[in-house]
Amino acid sequence: MKTIGMLGGMSWESTLSYYQALNEGVKKALGGLHSAKICLYSVDFDEIEKLQHQGDWEKTADILAKSAKGVEAGGADFLLICTNTMHKVAPQIEQAITIPLLHIADATAEVLIKEGITKVGLLGTRFTMEQDFYKRRLIDNYDIAVVTPDEQQMVLVHRVIYEELCQGVIAEESREAYLNIIADLHEQGAQAVILGCTEIALLVQQAHTSVQLLDTTAIHAEAAVRAALAD
């Protein structure tokens, strides 16, 4: 079994979901008392969040690249960045390490292709929804069209992530608002909706809507388990 490298703490609540999913996936595959071999570096999210909103992506890249080197030095065979948003600096992180990076958008695209989905809605932080680092990868590499919320909806989605979900707050009012946005994306032709922030699945699950949801935390973890157990 390969050792899974985790760059986590963004936020720790979603990293906990990753850790659980990875261990459950290995146990399901191998049985008995098997669990995942993991090397985890958990950053202080307060520092990262401030730099995000200041637009200082170069500094976040420096912090995460240094952390990724630590994960590699700890014996990891490949790396997961346990957050959608910080894949914005995935190229800088990849340059800093010699082990492979398992990109969350690639893992998600593989599921979309398998499901025959050609147009998808995208929820996430404002950075993920507005900027091209995630959307463009789906469009250019996989020919998948991407629909995002309107301006007012983006503000709400982003606020709930940082002010509620990253603080461990799950509010029914916010869930209803998210479900309305998901319905709007579906009406615009999205065949499914990507929960493109690792915290969103803490708020909205498939049982809440008839629109197909893609939980990127679960998808990323499943891809990592396959990679860890591959010959």
Side-chain angles (χ1 to χ4, degrees):
M1 186 194 312
K2 298 182 182 70
T3 298
I4 302 168
M6 293 176 61
L7 194 51
M10 301 168 281
S11 65
W12 71 260
E13 284 89 354
S14 62
T15 301
L16 179 64
S17 298
Y18 264 96
Y19 187 81
Q20 182 174 356
L22 291 170
N23 282 291
E24 287 179 345
V26 169
K27 180 177 176 63
K28 181 179 179 181
L30 300 181
L33 295 177
H34 284 288
S35 57
K37 295 171 67 175
I38 292 171
C39 182
L40 166 64
Y41 192 110
S42 189
V43 302
D44 179 4
F45 189 41
D46 183 78
E47 181 180 17
I48 298 295
E49 182 273 333
K50 285 183 170 63
L51 291 169
Q52 286 177 339
H53 286 93
Q54 291 166 8
D56 194 346
W57 297 102
E58 182 177 352
K59 181 61 175 176
T60 65
D62 290 343
I63 293 169
L64 295 186
K66 181 179 179 181
S67 302
K69 288 180 182 179
V71 174
E72 181 175 16
D77 293 300
F78 62 94
L79 180 70
L80 304 182
I81 304 171
C82 300
T83 160
N84 286 271
T85 298
M86 294 317 300
H87 277 75
K88 177 176 173 65
V89 297
Q92 295 95 311
I93 293 171
E94 284 185 293
Q95 290 175 3
I97 57 178
T98 61
I99 56 175
L101 172 68
L102 182 55
H103 199 291
I104 198 167
D106 293 340
T108 302
E110 289 177 8
V111 174
L112 291 169
I113 291 169
K114 183 178 179 180
E115 296 286 332
I117 294 168
T118 57
K119 187 173 184 178
V120 70
L122 175 63
L123 297 182
T125 65
R126 186 157 193 159
F127 313 118
T128 301
M129 292 185 289
E130 279 189 337
Q131 299 178 26
D132 276 345
F133 66 91
Y134 196 102
K135 293 185 295 185
R136 186 53 57 186
R137 196 174 184 103
L138 296 178
I139 295 166
D140 290 349
N141 294 0
Y142 301 98
D143 198 26
I144 297 169
V146 180
V147 183
T148 53
D150 64 30
E151 172 68 20
Q152 186 176 0
Q153 292 171 332
M154 278 192 187
V155 170
L156 184 147
V157 171
H158 186 88
R159 180 190 62 76
V160 168
I161 289 169
Y162 282 95
E163 296 182 13
E164 297 178 17
L165 302 182
C166 288
Q167 307 281 350
V169 176
I170 307 298
E172 183 62 34
E173 181 180 358
S174 297
R175 177 180 289 124
E176 289 302 318
Y178 267 53
L179 291 174
N180 288 336
I181 293 170
I182 288 168
D184 284 348
L185 294 173
H186 183 58
E187 289 179 5
Q188 294 175 55
Q191 297 160 276
V193 174
I194 297 171
L195 305 185
C197 173
T198 49
E199 281 81 19
I200 295 177
L202 302 173
L203 179 68
V204 178
Q205 292 90 46
Q206 190 61 71
H208 296 130
T209 176
S210 60
V211 179
Q212 183 177 354
L213 302 180
L214 295 158
D215 177 357
T216 53
T217 302
I219 290 169
H220 206 195
E222 288 167 5
V225 169
R226 290 194 299 272
L229 299 181
D231 293 334

